[in-house]
Amino acid sequence: MAGKQIGIKRTFTDRVVELFNPKAGLDRYQHRLAIAALGSSGYLTPGSSRKSLRGWSSLGENPISETVDKGEDIREGVRDLFKNSPVSGALLRRMAYKVVGPGLTLQARPDYEALGLPKEQASTWTKQVEREFRMWSKTCDATQTDSLNRLAFLALLSWMRDGDVFAGFPMVKRKGQVYQTRVMLIDGAQVGNNLSMMREGWLGGVKCDKYGAPEAYYIRNWNPISNDWALTGKEISAFGSKTGRRNIVHLVNKEWIGQRRGVSILAPVIEPLRQITQLSQAAVTKAIIQAFITVFITHNQADGMESPVPTSDQVEPDDPQSYEMGSGTIYDLDEGDDVKVVQSTSQPDFDPVFKAIVMQIGANVGVAFEVMMMHFTASYSASRAALMESWTTFLTLRTWLVDLFLQEAYEAFLWEAVASGRILAPGFFTDPAIRAAWCSTRWTGRGPGQIDPLKEVNAAEKRLKNHLTTHEDEHTAIHGGDWDSSMDRLAAEEETLTRLGLQSSKEGSSSGSDSSAADKTLEDLQDE
């Protein structure tokens, strides 16, 4: 393979050296060529000799400390965008609605084989635990204002917006409530160092051991005088000294090894979000200006003209310099008077620029433009592809939310339920393996939604026919919730319909086969 040709310009010094010592001049030129070759080969890096990279500088800061040092500024910037930028607020809320939706449903799934339980006994235990958990989840909030599902929505929204959020499980006894375990969300800005914590091990209010495992968190108090978090607070151990349970859980998406604190998912797109907000404001201002007509009247009379608009309809009847325009009114101009209308000039189209920037923002966070803006105008295939690609992001966030928050809350509840004797779970406190078997769960929620229900159901029928899925998975993908409970209700409905002599859904399912084919053909034509 032919080598890359590299050339350099001969300088005045080169010519002088060549004049007095040609051999030295040749050696000098060859060495300069070698140095130039080293700078133009391999990976391109900031500060390379290429013109496109000359203005690019990288400080090479430690990403672990950078997320702490710049974390507060990023948090404040994203919070301002969340409040004042329609795109930022819509994106984060849309993601939270898709991930949590009306709520995630617990399905207790104890490993009955590992526990040596009959399947029927495990099913009975599951129903009892789910019944107790539903009761607890409605009153578990330490502030007595939200249910567990609403706390999950708030935790996820805070996590994505602020970078991280903390949750604790204090024991608070309240009148009329069976359980004392509470869930308390802690704002990420409330966790931080005080002045005496600039020692080894503390960073961003988190203290870790030599392996990077959290040992303690510093929760700061609110200072009403400065209207900010104070430097005083309380140090809370990450794990209980007797039980080893988590006292504090940290919801954070780590992108660097050893990272202590998180940054908002919007951190890489703060600048385009700010620019698109300014662009939207400018476009609205432009539309408002274009809606006005500015009229300049030149005349020779010093007293001006009498307005044809009735005095009762004028906005400023006492201002002699105010000329008002009314619906269908005509000014009778005097000789020599003239009217000049000033209109704003046209500007470049707003939609192409707006869409291009929003698509880049969506690509960064993993949400398609159509889903982000709820703008499905393309074909069925394109719209469904956008929904499915975005659903990968939503499902990943849901899994993380379950692992870091909901499962921890469930286990905190189960600890108290077993300890108080309301739930029987032999070996729960003596063997970690047995405890893990009792704590096994599955959390379900709403599916991605359906753009064309007919096609979605037909596809589900084919998957079931070819044994590529289960009835429970298909039910969960569409409705979420508990498949067992749905089947119990469906069986009861079928029994009622049969007892009343009415046509059941099974009997009427075959009657629509011909119309289904016609509908499918119509949908295909519409898609084309």
Side-chain angles (χ1 to χ4, degrees):
M1 181 178 63
K4 180 181 178 181
Q5 298 296 325
I6 302 175
I8 58 175
K9 295 182 179 180
R10 295 169 62 233
T11 64
F12 175 77
T13 304
D14 292 335
R15 294 188 179 93
V16 172
V17 173
E18 293 171 1
L19 179 63
F20 292 97
N21 190 342
K23 185 177 182 303
L26 180 60
D27 292 340
R28 173 185 172 85
Y29 186 75
Q30 290 176 343
H31 283 86
R32 290 185 61 200
L33 281 174
I35 293 174
L38 289 175
S40 60
S41 62
Y43 290 103
L44 298 177
T45 58
S48 297
S49 58
R50 292 198 178 184
K51 292 183 179 180
S52 60
L53 301 177
R54 288 178 183 174
W56 180 21
S57 61
S58 176
L59 301 179
E61 297 182 9
N62 183 355
I64 300 174
S65 59
E66 187 178 8
T67 54
V68 176
D69 297 337
K70 297 183 180 180
E72 292 188 6
D73 294 335
I74 294 174
R75 185 186 300 114
E76 292 176 1
V78 175
R79 284 184 174 185
D80 182 76
L81 289 172
F82 179 77
K83 292 181 292 185
N84 301 304
S85 170
V87 175
S88 303
L91 173 58
L92 294 180
R93 290 189 183 94
R94 185 68 173 164
M95 296 177 69
Y97 289 144
K98 280 292 186 180
V99 173
V100 180
L104 301 182
T105 303
L106 166 72
Q107 293 183 3
R109 296 290 180 87
D111 189 349
Y112 60 90
E113 294 181 351
L115 296 170
L117 296 177
K119 189 174 182 179
E120 294 75 12
Q121 183 178 349
S123 178
T124 303
W125 186 90
T126 295
K127 292 181 179 180
Q128 181 185 3
V129 169
E130 291 176 354
R131 188 182 304 111
E132 291 284 318
F133 181 80
R134 283 193 298 269
M135 176 184 64
W136 172 80
S137 64
K138 295 178 181 179
T139 59
C140 66
D141 182 17
T143 64
Q144 300 190 80
T145 57
D146 292 318
S147 64
L148 182 61
N149 275 318
R150 294 182 64 181
L151 288 176
F153 181 90
L154 179 59
L156 177 63
L157 188 62
S158 302
W159 175 12
M160 294 187 297
R161 183 189 61 218
D162 302 336
D164 56 8
V165 66
F166 299 81
F169 304 102
M171 303 293 290
V172 181
K173 187 176 182 179
R174 290 202 170 102
K175 186 177 180 180
Q177 297 183 11
V178 176
Y179 292 96
Q180 301 181 28
T181 303
R182 307 296 171 196
V183 180
M184 180 179 65
L185 294 182
I186 304 171
D187 190 343
Q190 190 176 353
V191 178
N193 287 1
N194 61 22
L195 295 178
S196 63
M197 286 185 171
M198 305 304 179
R199 60 181 184 268
E200 185 178 358
W202 284 96
L203 187 63
V206 182
K207 181 181 180 181
C208 296
D209 60 17
K210 62 180 180 180
Y211 299 105
E215 290 184 332
Y217 301 94
Y218 192 74
I219 313 298
R220 297 183 292 184
N221 298 324
W222 179 257
N223 187 349
I225 299 177
S226 63
N227 198 30
D228 198 359
W229 297 111
L231 296 178
T232 60
K234 182 179 181 181
E235 179 179 335
I236 300 179
S237 299
F239 300 92
S241 58
K242 296 182 179 179
T243 62
R245 283 180 51 198
R246 288 184 179 271
N247 294 325
I248 300 288
V249 295
H250 187 189
L251 282 74
V252 58
N253 178 26
K254 295 183 179 180
E255 296 181 337
W256 306 95
I257 298 175
Q259 183 177 341
R260 299 280 185 91
R261 299 298 301 271
V263 294
S264 171
I265 63 171
L266 300 183
V269 292
I270 286 180
E271 183 179 6
L273 280 170
R274 177 59 180 164
Q275 291 174 336
I276 202 172
T277 303
Q278 294 174 326
L279 177 64
S280 301
Q281 293 172 347
V284 173
T285 303
K286 169 194 168 185
I288 294 175
I289 293 175
Q290 287 184 333
F292 290 105
I293 299 178
T294 304
V295 178
F296 291 92
I297 301 177
T298 59
H299 53 81
N300 295 326
Q301 299 180 6
D303 295 337
M305 299 180 301
E306 182 179 355
S307 175
V309 180
T311 305
S312 58
D313 295 338
Q314 294 182 18
V315 179
E316 297 177 336
D318 299 329
D319 186 358
Q321 302 299 324
S322 175
Y323 299 98
E324 302 186 12
M325 307 181 74
S327 175
T329 57
I330 300 176
Y331 273 96
D332 186 11
L333 301 179
D334 294 331
E335 184 178 355
D337 293 344
D338 187 23
V339 177
K340 295 181 179 180
V341 180
V342 179
Q343 295 181 345
S344 60
T345 58
S346 61
Q347 298 293 333
D349 293 336
F350 169 75
D351 286 344
V353 179
F354 176 85
K355 185 175 182 180
I357 298 177
V358 172
M359 289 178 68
Q360 294 180 25
I361 296 171
N364 183 272
V365 299
V367 179
F369 170 82
E370 293 85 351
V371 178
M372 187 191 311
M373 305 305 296
M374 294 187 288
H375 186 71
F376 297 94
T377 58
S379 64
Y380 166 79
S381 301
S383 299
R384 191 175 190 279
L387 186 60
M388 290 298 100
E389 286 298 320
S390 302
W391 184 247
T392 302
T393 301
F394 301 146
L395 195 58
T396 302
L397 289 174
R398 178 181 291 181
T399 302
W400 292 347
L401 180 66
V402 167
D403 292 343
L404 297 176
F405 179 66
L406 289 175
Q407 183 65 24
E408 293 288 344
Y410 169 71
E411 293 184 12
F413 149 79
L414 197 56
W415 271 76
E416 182 182 359
V418 176
S420 63
R422 293 186 65 88
I423 298 295
L424 298 179
F428 188 89
F429 298 110
T430 58
D431 191 339
I434 294 179
R435 181 164 59 248
W438 284 116
C439 292
S440 179
T441 61
R442 180 186 182 187
W443 296 81
T444 59
R446 287 282 183 173
Q450 297 175 319
I451 298 177
D452 188 332
L454 179 62
K455 290 184 178 181
E456 302 287 348
V457 171
N458 288 337
E461 289 180 352
K462 291 184 178 181
R463 286 194 294 267
L464 289 169
K465 183 178 179 180
N466 292 281
H467 309 291
L468 300 176
T469 185
T470 64
H471 288 85
E472 183 176 4
D473 290 339
E474 293 299 333
H475 176 275
T476 301
I478 297 176
H479 302 290
D482 186 0
W483 183 78
D484 292 328
S485 299
S486 298
M487 293 302 103
D488 291 340
R489 291 196 300 270
L490 183 60
E493 291 176 0
E494 293 288 346
E495 182 180 352
T496 302
L497 291 172
T498 302
R499 178 170 51 84
L500 297 177
L502 301 176
Q503 182 181 7
S504 67
S505 59
K506 291 182 180 179
E507 294 173 351
S509 61
S510 60
S511 61
S513 58
D514 296 336
S515 60
S516 298
D519 292 340
K520 185 176 181 181
T521 304
L522 178 60
E523 292 293 335
D524 291 340
L525 292 174
Q526 291 175 350
D527 190 28
E528 295 174 358

